[in-house]
Amino acid sequence: MTKVDFGAKFDSCLRYVQLSKINLKGNSKVTALSFCSDDESWRVLEKDVQSLLQQGLTDRTKMIRVLWRSTPSEWNIMDGFSEFGSSPLIVGVMLSLLEKSYSLVDIGPNPENRDEAIKFRKFWGEKAELRRFKDGAIAESTVWETETWERHTIIKRIADYVLTKHLLLRQEDLTHVVDQLDFCLLVGGQDPVSSSGALLEAFDTLAKQLRLLDDVPLKISTVQPLDSAFRHTSVFPPEPHPLAYEKSSQRLPNFAATCVRSLEVMIQLEGSGNWPLDPVAMEKTKSAFLLRIGESLEDRGMFVTASEDEVNVLTSGYSFLLKIFHERGLVVQKQAGDSNIQSAPSEDKELFFRSQHSSMINGLHGIYQAYGPVVRLAKRWISAHLFSSFISEEAVELVAAYLFLRPFPFHAPSSRVTGFLRFLRLLSSFDWTFSPMIVDINNDFNLKDEKEINENFMLSRRSYEQNPHDIEPAMFLATSYDKSSEAWTKQSPSKSVLKRIASYAKSSAELLTNLIIHGQSGQYTWECLYRTPLSNYDAVILLHKEKLCRPHHVLFPAEIPNGKLVIQGKPSNDFHPYMPLSKSVVRSLHDTRDKLLVNFDPTAYFLRDLKCAFPVTFKLWHDSIGGDAIGLTWESSKKRGRDEDDEAMLDPTSILKEVGDVGKGLVRSVHLLKAPKLE
């Protein structure tokens, strides 16, 4: 049984407080009711609100529910009638197609229809205007001009205008839950998704150039973007970098980011029987092709950084990382009758999964426009609570996709806040131990496929009776391209980590529900959803914010936790996230470009070095999107394995000092909160 409540059922919730003071005593229309406590009289105001909203929102909504619980549930007859009407009025709005719901213009009657035109102008007041449209028609209309990334607030603007105009409500007594979580997606007060058009144009330019290359031994047949920015699910899609344009470009501001993130692009070459079958030789051949492609693009005016490991192309303001996918390994594998493509080269297998995943998610976003914003909020939440190391972004996208594909008992969400609430509830309530999550995006599955998935799932759970704490994958996500949940969750999260994620999700869902229905109270605000308690870790590493590659993505600077200070470190002078661009730089543009750090992230390299230095000593919890704190939890002695490790753990401060030394220049301080348990 699934609880159906206002917060989860409706795409948007409006809440009006102080109705007893404003509507009942200050509005002549309502005072005509003589403050009768009869239910029918109290319902008149509900009907008026619903009528006004339906008239104002027209076909933008498919359902509006207004509820005013005028009698407090704890009301005592001895208190008299002073408390009547003190409860807020709640309005639930279910949106129709988003093309209609987020339309910028409401078209009214033709001015020749005099009575209807007068009625329209009376209702809309100063918002009404006479407009001529592209088809030559002239009609009364209202226009709600807004930035593209703010179009989800149009419903709020219309409802606010109508109710403040016709019911004399004060703006401060009105709360419309629509954009309260947008703060975690903004950079400089604006959503970077607004630059997605430039990104798609840059990719199209690159793809066209790649297909036109005629000096490469094999012609390029397919070019596919793999980064989440292209499927509208990146929390912070990259913005154009002034040094990533063609060599002739001179667009230089005063400062530019030192680090630029590359967007992965998959290339397929035309078929040939001359490819080597040996995996090492195959990878070397791919590298040779990529280097040749890089040279050709550089001859065409693009800026290329190349090595045997990777080739990055800087063009149109963005950096693209080129990868070659070779089907031959998969074809050989299928001929051998192995449908799980286990023996294919690891990179080809990964690219195959990512290619299939990107295509499906991109198609899903084309059907459900709210999907992208919901996933962005979900990914930001995962990272903010330091789960980045344990759950991939593809897994988050699939869990969110499940909400839209199987929304029962609801309709598919049409707003980001409602979708995010359902994501948190699904994450916390799904029976991960005994049920596979089947994500059938294209309705590909038949009974045979479902049987195969269930068999794979049962096979993964055979070890449950022997060791219920160590089953893998703990999160079983089945798709048409991955029926055994091998791609995204085979190694992580573990059962214990998944339990922790579910616990956090449950707590956040309860807080979010309370915020939607009752609003902020005291210290419990919308920001709390993205603040994680550092006291839940055994040790905490704080980083110098000014040494992160993207310090402007940090949501809340970490506070110093209560614990023993083990070590403090000074910031390094070798790295700065921003580089100055003076006029003299224009003359040496090539040298300045050489200072760009492509795909460099100090935090990622620090975590890699820690995992190498302490592979079984502790778990590392971090925020890959914008965090300046790393949580640390001691591993059990069973996982550490050796007796000498236990002896070393008797002095955890010495280990934490080594941690600080590994991150010298980046680590601000290290704090010990709990000593490890020795079993």
Side-chain angles (χ1 to χ4, degrees):
M1 299 293 287
T2 303
K3 181 181 179 181
V4 178
D5 58 293
F6 253 71
K9 179 178 181 179
F10 292 98
D11 298 311
S12 181
C13 287
L14 295 78
R15 187 175 61 256
Y16 307 98
V17 298
Q18 300 294 336
L19 285 172
S20 59
K21 296 179 181 178
I22 298 171
N23 288 331
L24 295 182
K25 297 181 180 180
N27 189 295
S28 59
K29 189 174 183 179
V30 182
T31 53
L33 302 176
S34 301
F35 294 99
C36 178
S37 61
D38 181 79
D39 282 347
E40 292 184 6
S41 298
W42 288 105
R43 295 298 173 254
V44 168
L45 182 60
E46 292 180 349
K47 292 178 181 178
D48 287 345
V49 170
Q50 181 153 338
S51 175
L52 285 169
L53 290 176
Q54 287 175 336
Q55 190 174 349
L57 296 174
T58 60
D59 61 351
R60 295 176 185 267
T61 64
K62 56 186 176 184
M63 181 179 179
I64 298 175
R65 176 75 170 96
V66 183
L67 178 64
W68 185 8
R69 188 170 297 165
S70 54
T71 308
S73 57
E74 67 278 5
W75 178 70
N76 189 315
I77 192 171
M78 300 303 294
D79 296 333
F81 295 99
S82 61
E83 294 298 317
F84 273 60
S86 61
S87 297
L89 181 142
I90 301 292
V91 180
V93 177
M94 196 172 291
L95 303 181
S96 57
L97 294 175
L98 294 191
E99 290 83 356
K100 291 182 179 179
S101 300
Y102 297 160
S103 174
L104 299 178
V105 180
D106 285 312
I107 302 177
N110 188 299
E112 294 179 358
N113 189 341
R114 184 176 177 83
D115 292 341
E116 290 298 321
I118 292 174
K119 184 179 177 181
F120 184 89
R121 284 189 168 273
K122 183 178 180 181
F123 182 82
W124 288 110
E126 70 276 8
K127 288 296 294 182
E129 59 180 79
L130 196 63
R131 291 176 66 93
R132 180 187 294 273
F133 295 90
K134 291 182 179 179
D135 59 359
I138 299 175
E140 298 286 352
S141 60
T142 56
V143 181
W144 308 91
E145 294 183 359
T146 185
E147 297 287 343
T148 302
W149 60 273
E150 289 183 306
R151 289 181 70 170
H152 62 289
T153 65
I154 287 178
I155 294 289
K156 171 185 176 180
R157 292 173 59 191
I158 296 174
D160 289 359
Y161 177 83
V162 167
L163 291 169
T164 53
K165 174 178 173 59
H166 293 283
L167 282 184
L168 306 181
L169 283 170
R170 294 185 306 173
Q171 188 72 35
E172 56 267 28
D173 295 319
L174 181 155
T175 302
H176 194 144
V177 180
V178 170
D179 55 355
Q180 279 79 357
L181 298 181
D182 287 2
F183 69 90
C184 68
L185 304 178
L186 303 182
V187 176
Q190 185 172 347
D191 194 331
V193 77
S194 58
S195 63
S196 294
L199 172 60
L200 295 177
E201 289 179 10
F203 170 75
D204 288 341
T205 300
L206 174 66
K208 184 177 180 180
Q209 290 293 329
L210 287 170
R211 292 191 183 96
L212 291 176
L213 294 181
D214 54 6
D215 51 355
V216 178
L218 293 177
K219 193 173 180 64
I220 294 173
S221 60
T222 304
V223 183
Q224 181 185 359
L226 300 182
D227 193 272
S228 59
F230 293 102
R231 52 184 185 263
H232 311 283
T233 58
S234 174
V235 176
F236 294 121
E239 299 178 79
H241 195 287
L243 296 179
Y245 287 87
E246 283 65 24
K247 293 181 179 179
S248 59
S249 174
Q250 301 294 318
R251 306 179 188 182
L252 296 177
N254 293 329
F255 289 89
T258 304
C259 303
V260 58
R261 180 169 72 90
S262 259
L263 307 168
E264 200 162 341
V265 172
M266 187 185 80
I267 294 173
Q268 280 185 271
L269 305 174
E270 63 182 357
S272 171
N274 295 324
W275 278 87
L277 294 178
D278 179 74
V280 175
M282 187 181 293
E283 294 305 310
K284 295 290 184 182
T285 305
K286 287 183 187 178
S287 297
F289 268 107
L290 286 173
L291 291 171
R292 185 70 191 94
I293 291 170
E295 291 176 359
S296 299
L297 292 175
E298 197 163 33
D299 292 340
R300 286 162 172 77
M302 296 184 182
F303 188 76
V304 178
T305 62
S307 68
E308 187 177 351
D309 296 326
E310 60 180 52
V311 172
N312 293 280
V313 181
L314 280 71
T315 180
S316 304
Y318 298 92
S319 176
F320 299 95
L321 173 61
L322 304 184
K323 296 278 188 178
I324 291 180
F325 170 63
H326 182 46
E327 282 186 335
R328 187 162 187 173
L330 304 183
V331 173
V332 170
Q333 223 254 339
K334 289 181 179 178
Q335 289 174 346
D338 188 348
S339 60
N340 290 326
I341 61 173
Q342 294 284 355
S343 61
S346 58
E347 185 181 56
D348 282 328
K349 186 165 61 174
E350 181 184 349
L351 288 174
F352 170 79
F353 283 139
R354 295 187 64 194
S355 169
Q356 296 293 311
H357 179 84
S358 294
S359 297
M360 288 186 175
I361 295 299
N362 207 24
L364 184 70
H365 184 268
I367 301 172
Y368 303 104
Q369 293 182 30
Y371 174 75
V374 169
V375 174
R376 295 175 67 208
L377 288 176
K379 287 183 179 179
R380 187 61 154 156
W381 181 87
I382 288 288
S383 291
H385 291 287
L386 310 188
F387 295 126
S388 295
S389 299
F390 303 101
I391 182 168
S392 67
E393 63 175 343
E394 291 85 359
V396 176
E397 291 169 359
L398 290 175
V399 173
Y402 187 85
L403 289 173
F404 289 81
L405 299 169
R406 301 184 65 176
F408 187 81
F410 310 105
H411 295 281
S414 294
S415 72
R416 56 187 64 188
V417 177
T418 300
F420 178 53
L421 173 60
R422 293 189 201 171
F423 170 83
L424 294 173
R425 290 187 179 180
L426 177 63
L427 200 58
S428 63
S429 63
F430 192 84
D431 186 6
W432 297 105
T433 302
F434 297 108
S435 300
M437 179 174 282
I438 301 175
V439 186
D440 187 8
I441 293 178
N442 295 327
N443 292 320
D444 295 326
F445 290 150
N446 52 34
L447 292 176
K448 182 180 177 182
D449 294 320
E450 292 183 6
K451 181 181 178 182
E452 181 184 349
I453 290 171
N454 283 315
E455 288 175 352
N456 290 336
F457 175 75
M458 295 305 295
L459 190 64
S460 73
R461 295 299 186 262
R462 278 187 177 178
S463 61
Y464 179 78
E465 293 184 2
Q466 288 79 21
N467 189 359
H469 301 292
D470 190 22
I471 55 175
E472 59 178 40
M475 177 183 279
F476 195 102
L477 299 175
T479 62
S480 59
Y481 62 85
D482 181 25
K483 297 175 185 176
S484 58
S485 191
E486 177 191 0
W488 316 120
T489 59
K490 184 176 182 180
Q491 304 297 333
S492 185
S494 65
K495 187 177 180 182
S496 60
V497 170
L498 183 56
K499 183 179 179 181
R500 184 174 183 137
I501 294 174
S503 177
Y504 274 56
K506 182 179 180 181
S507 176
S508 292
E510 291 173 352
L511 174 59
L512 180 54
T513 301
N514 190 64
L515 288 168
I516 292 173
I517 303 302
H518 302 292
Q520 298 184 164
S521 59
Q523 61 179 338
Y524 298 106
T525 65
W526 298 91
E527 288 79 7
C528 290
L529 289 164
Y530 290 89
R531 286 185 180 272
T532 196
L534 295 179
S535 58
N536 289 345
Y537 300 94
D538 298 331
V540 174
I541 306 167
L542 300 184
L543 308 178
H544 289 287
K545 179 182 174 182
E546 67 275 16
K547 296 303 171 184
L548 303 178
C549 64
R550 282 173 282 275
H552 55 287
H553 287 176
V554 175
L555 195 56
F556 304 113
E559 298 177 356
I560 297 177
N562 294 324
K564 178 183 177 182
L565 175 63
V566 175
I567 191 173
Q568 278 186 309
K570 296 181 179 179
S572 169
N573 292 323
D574 297 330
F575 171 77
H576 298 279
Y578 304 104
M579 65 172 79
L581 300 180
S582 60
K583 293 182 180 180
S584 60
V585 171
V586 177
R587 305 188 191 97
S588 58
L589 195 57
H590 189 277
D591 294 338
T592 306
R593 277 202 179 106
D594 285 341
K595 296 178 182 178
L596 270 180
L597 300 177
V598 180
N599 279 340
F600 176 74
D601 185 347
T603 305
Y605 282 98
F606 173 48
L607 290 167
R608 184 198 64 182
D609 292 343
L610 282 180
K611 289 174 183 177
C612 291
F614 306 96
V616 294
T617 307
F618 42 66
K619 284 181 183 176
L620 294 168
W621 310 73
H622 83 289
D623 178 351
S624 64
I625 293 176
D628 59 348
I630 298 173
L632 183 154
T633 54
W634 306 112
E635 288 282 22
S636 65
S637 58
K638 180 179 179 181
K639 289 192 175 182
R640 293 195 299 268
R642 298 179 303 179
D643 293 338
E644 52 265 35
D645 286 338
D646 281 340
E647 292 178 8
M649 298 301 282
L650 290 172
D651 185 16
T653 56
S654 62
I655 294 177
L656 294 180
K657 285 180 180 178
E658 291 183 44
V659 167
D661 290 337
V662 171
K664 188 175 181 180
L666 175 64
V667 172
R668 173 161 55 113
S669 58
V670 181
H671 304 262
L672 174 64
L673 278 65
K674 303 171 190 173
K677 295 180 180 179
L678 301 179
E679 299 175 1

